[in-house]
Amino acid sequence: MIVRLRKGATQEQLDEVVRRIRQAGLRPDISIGIDTTVVGVVGNTQSVDENLFRELEWVDSVIRISRPYKLVSREYSPDTRRFRIGGALIGGGEVVIIAGPCSVEGREQILSLAEQLQAAGAQALRGGAYKPRTSPYAFQGLGEEGLRYLEETRSRTGLPLVTEATGTHHHPLPGGRVEDRAVLEAVVRTADVVQIGARNMKSYGLLEEAGRLAGAAGKAVLLKRGEAATLEEFLLAAEYLVLHGCPDVMLCLRGIRTFEAQSFQRYTSDIAAIAILKRESNLPVVFDPSHSTGDRRLVHAVALAAVAAGADGLLIEAHADPRAALSDGQQCVTPDELSRIVQDVRKLERMRS
Ligand code: PEP
Ligand code: MN
C-alpha cells in the first residue's frame, strides 16, 4: 500500500501517517520527492482499512499494490532503482559489463585475467570462490583463499567484485577440511555485490540473511533466476532481499530449463523475460549469456539480443584459456572475444537511447 501526501504536507502530518502505520504493526518507507511525499506501507496490509489514511485531509491518495510482490514492483516505485557498482552505475541506461571466470583458480590467474578483462571493457570482476557444483566430486572453489585473491585483484585494478555466497553454512574443502567462517559472512565482507545463485533462489533463509547482512554492510545483491522458477517466484525471492534490508538488488536471468536442455544449448535464453521484468519491476535487470547458452559460440549473439531487449547489464564468463578452465570452460569467452562483444554492445546501446 502507498500513501501519497498532498503537496505542502508538514512534518507533523507525515509523523501522524507514520504513527498510524506503526500502530497497525506495519513499517513505513518514506520517500520525499520534490513536490510530494510518498509513504510505502510495508508488511501484510490486507486487513488494513484504507480509511485509516484517507480520512486525513493531508492525504492525497491511498493506492493498493495489486501484485504479490510489492517493494520490487513498478507500481511501488515507477523509477528504476539505480546504484553504483564501483565506478559504474547500474539502472542508469548504460549497460554494465560484469565479467570473469566461473571460478577463481589461483592468484596469478585472477590477477592477470582481471587486467585483460578490464582492458576489454569489463567494469566489474565476477569470480566464484565458493561454487555450487552439481557433482560433489567437481571443483568446489578455493573458498577463503579465493576471496583473498579477489581482494588483492580489486586493490590492484580497482574493479569491484561480484562473488557468490552459497549458503549460511560452512564450506567443505577437499580432504574433509571445513572453513570456520560461515560462507555468507565471508562473502559479504569481501564482495561489492553478493551473488545468490540459481540453485539458491528459493533458499528463503539465505535470502533473509543475505538481505540483512548485505543491507547493513551497504553491499548490493545479484540474484539469479532459478532454472525452473516462474518470474513471479523470482520477483518474490527478490522481495525477500529488499524486505529484509537490501534495497540494491539486481535481477539476473541465466536461462531456464526447457525440452531443449543439453543438446544444443545448456538452458534456453529467456530474452522476453528481460522486457517483462523491466515492465513489472523497479530493479535493474542483468542477463547472463554464458550460463543460458553453455556455449561460447553463442555468447556474442545472445548478449546483443539481451541488450536489444533492454538489459541493464551483462554477466559474461571469461577465461584466458577456456579449455583449461576448472569449471564452465565451454562457455567462457577469451578477453579478445569479450572486447568485441563490448564494442558491439556500445554500438547497440546508442540505438536504444
Ligand atoms: C555461476 O554464475 O557460475 C553459476 C553457478 O551460475 P547459476 O547459479 O546461474 O547456475
Ligand atoms: Mn559458471
Side-chain angles (χ1 to χ4, degrees), residues 311-330:
D312 296 288
L314 291 171
L315 175 61
I316 300 178
E317 283 195 338
H319 198 285
D321 182 6
R323 261 165 276 273
L326 294 183
S327 56
D328 283 350
Q330 70 292 343

Side-chain angles (χ1 to χ4, degrees), residues 102 126 131-132 164 195 197-199 224 254 291 317:
C102 183
R126 206 298 302 249
K131 294 305 301 180
E164 180 165 357
Q195 175 174 328
R199 289 158 188 79
K224 289 188 137 194
R254 41 78 74 209
H291 290 85
E317 283 195 338

Side-chain angles (χ1 to χ4, degrees), residues 99-101 112-122 125 159 318-319 333-335 338:
S112 72
L113 177 62
E115 281 171 3
Q116 294 176 63
L117 297 179
Q118 190 168 36
L125 177 69
L159 285 172
H319 198 285
V333 296
T334 61
L338 181 71

